[in-house]
Amino acid sequence: MSQPVKVLFVCLGNICRSPVAEGVFRAKVREAGLERRIHIDSAGTGAWHVGNPPDRRMTATAKRRGVDLSQQRARQFVADDLEDFDVILAMDRSNLRNIQSLDTSDGFNERVSLFREWDPEPGDQEVPDPYYGGPEGFEHVFDIVDRTADALLDDLRRRY
Ligand code: 4NP
């Protein structure tokens, strides 16, 4: 049997957007019975929150909608992640640039994309940072992540 495909979600702090993407996607993968085929993690390009659980506002929104984030702890994205993961998904363009700045290959790494490239309603292809906003921002992030994770899982099932 081939190796599992490794998927990494990346935002700035690894306490709001990428943890909810990890948690929602993990729940869908488990429901599909694919947890041995798809390995999932998340990271932040910044180090401020390393070791911390996700933001309690994000955890509360996810819990209300059936997804447990409580066991997650933030870690920083490292250059080795560019080798270790097959699919690296940035939440916004700033995250994408931060990832690419650690990439010593020829500058075009096909493993790295914007997460919302898979969104059937992609808008500007960025997951808005909810950190400094109100509660509706966390609901909006959950909605985006939920539908994009469905499309991502469909695509990975076709490709791997
Ligand atoms: P995240 O949100 O990138 O979705 O985890 C943020 C969390 C913390 C900060 C910024 C964004 N911060 O500046 O500490």
Side-chain angles (χ1 to χ4, degrees):
M1 203 156 109
S2 59
Q3 295 291 315
V5 57
K6 296 182 71 174
V7 180
L8 181 66
F9 299 98
V10 183
C11 62
L12 178 59
N14 194 210
I15 56 168
C16 297
R17 293 166 294 175
S18 60
V20 77
E22 176 184 339
V24 166
F25 193 58
R26 190 182 299 287
K28 292 181 189 300
V29 164
R30 190 177 297 134
E31 202 168 299
L34 293 171
E35 59 266 70
R36 292 220 297 274
R37 304 291 313 126
I38 304 179
H39 174 102
I40 305 161
D41 196 6
S42 67
T45 59
W48 310 282
H49 302 282
V50 167
N52 292 346
D55 186 287
R56 57 170 62 85
R57 298 165 295 174
M58 194 75 259
T59 302
T61 296
K63 186 177 180 185
R64 247 190 332 273
R65 300 181 65 167
V67 175
D68 177 22
L69 307 184
S70 65
Q71 301 309 305
Q72 293 190 39
R73 295 295 178 268
R75 76 163 175 94
Q76 190 172 20
F77 182 87
V78 293
D80 281 352
D81 289 323
L82 288 158
E83 305 293 327
D84 285 349
F85 285 86
D86 304 295
V87 181
I88 300 170
L89 298 167
M91 295 293 125
D92 66 28
R93 290 184 177 82
S94 167
N95 309 147
L96 187 70
R97 282 192 299 274
N98 290 336
I99 293 166
Q100 287 166 339
S101 73
L102 293 173
D103 190 354
T104 54
S105 67
D106 58 10
F108 189 78
N109 189 330
E110 288 190 346
R111 299 169 177 215
V112 185
S113 328
L114 284 173
F115 173 60
R116 286 190 79 184
E117 282 183 31
W118 279 264
D119 188 347
E121 303 167 49
D124 65 0
Q125 293 195 325
E126 299 197 304
V127 183
D129 183 349
Y131 190 67
Y132 292 108
E136 68 288 349
F138 291 86
E139 299 294 329
H140 184 48
V141 166
F142 193 98
D143 290 337
I144 291 169
V145 163
D146 193 36
R147 67 173 184 256
T148 305
D150 281 330
L152 176 66
L153 181 55
D154 285 348
D155 187 37
L156 293 182
R157 294 179 85 150
R158 278 192 295 271
R159 284 164 58 207
Y160 290 94

